[in-house]
Amino acid sequence: MNSPWPRRGLYAITPDDADTLRLVARVETVLVAGAQWLQYRNKAADPHLRREQALALLPICRRHGVPLIVNDDWRLAAQIGADGAHLGEDDGELAAARAAMGDRALIGASCYDRFDLARAAAATGASYIAFGAFFASPTKPNARRATPELLQQSAILRLPRVAIGGITPDNARSLVDAGADLLAVISGVFDAPDPAAAVRAYLSCFDEARSEELPNE
């Protein structure tokens, strides 16, 4: 990935929150705690609120050096100068988003439980590929289930691999071990009693993996 953004870490995804000021405060807490990427997602918002909230989050992300990625809507991302967009299978052509947003934009693709979608996304200019849900998810209870083997198999595509769906600090390590570069989380962070502590718990999964890779002295 030819990008200034970190390749590994926590990919925080915003919850549906109609209160923009509250959302901004919640995101600020998560970014201060160390989340490396932020995706703006609000399935319940109308287009006016989505634009308002995305614009409100942009300066916070800039201040913390975190990319802002807009879910579903690459046109909105391009209009406000966001750093990227995340596209599902019904959100338009990835190639069109790449052409509109340029080579440096982070454009991600949901690949669900299918390697063929990941391969197609890589061929059409994706910056990263996302698989999931890996576990039962309160956000998408009926989501298709992916397996850790997909993370291993897709290493050949040489793109950052995002794992999503029901991920907790207790089960995240298995996904990092399988090759996940980024852990995408909504409720595990934003609904936690202490969101900052939750961020640190997710990040510790990467720290543990790195420590085990170090040679014995």
Side-chain angles (χ1 to χ4, degrees):
M1 180 179 63
N2 184 18
S3 166
W5 311 114
R7 186 184 176 110
R8 303 189 83 203
L10 181 67
Y11 187 175
I13 302 178
T14 61
D16 292 351
D17 191 334
D19 186 325
T20 300
L21 290 178
R22 181 173 59 200
L23 177 65
V24 166
R26 296 171 77 184
V27 166
E28 179 90 41
T29 297
V30 168
L31 297 190
V32 168
Q36 282 87 357
W37 290 19
L38 182 77
Q39 182 184 127
Y40 169 63
R41 177 187 187 275
N42 190 335
K43 295 290 188 179
D46 61 29
H48 175 77
L49 181 59
R50 283 173 55 83
R51 181 179 175 84
E52 173 192 301
Q53 293 189 330
L55 280 170
L57 294 173
L58 192 56
I60 301 171
C61 288
R62 292 284 185 270
R63 187 162 66 248
H64 291 284
V66 170
L68 175 64
I69 299 165
V70 176
N71 180 258
D72 292 346
D73 192 345
W74 64 260
R75 291 175 178 83
L76 173 59
Q79 288 167 6
I80 69 167
D83 301 293
H86 183 87
L87 305 179
E89 58 188 343
D90 300 319
D91 297 330
E93 293 188 7
L94 193 151
R98 173 62 69 201
M101 297 191 69
D103 292 339
R104 291 179 63 81
L106 280 172
I107 300 179
S110 290
C111 303
Y112 310 100
D113 58 348
R114 293 172 52 186
F115 177 75
D116 63 311
L117 291 180
R119 184 167 51 199
T124 50
S127 305
Y128 68 89
I129 47 179
F131 296 105
F134 284 94
F135 308 101
S137 168
T139 304
K140 290 187 175 182
N142 299 315
R144 286 169 272 182
R145 288 294 186 89
T147 65
E149 287 73 23
L150 268 174
L151 295 168
Q152 298 168 340
Q153 182 184 11
S154 57
I156 194 173
L157 301 175
R158 302 179 67 84
L159 290 176
R161 291 156 287 171
V162 176
I164 189 169
I167 301 172
T168 70
D170 292 330
N171 62 33
R173 176 64 191 279
S174 64
L175 301 178
V176 173
D177 288 345
D181 299 293
L182 292 148
L183 301 172
V185 180
I186 304 175
S187 58
V189 167
F190 286 100
D191 291 346
D194 185 340
V199 170
R200 293 190 291 270
Y202 282 106
L203 294 178
S204 71
C205 297
F206 292 96
D207 293 337
E208 291 168 8
R210 280 195 295 269
S211 68
E212 291 190 2
E213 293 171 0
L214 294 176
N216 294 325
E217 296 183 359

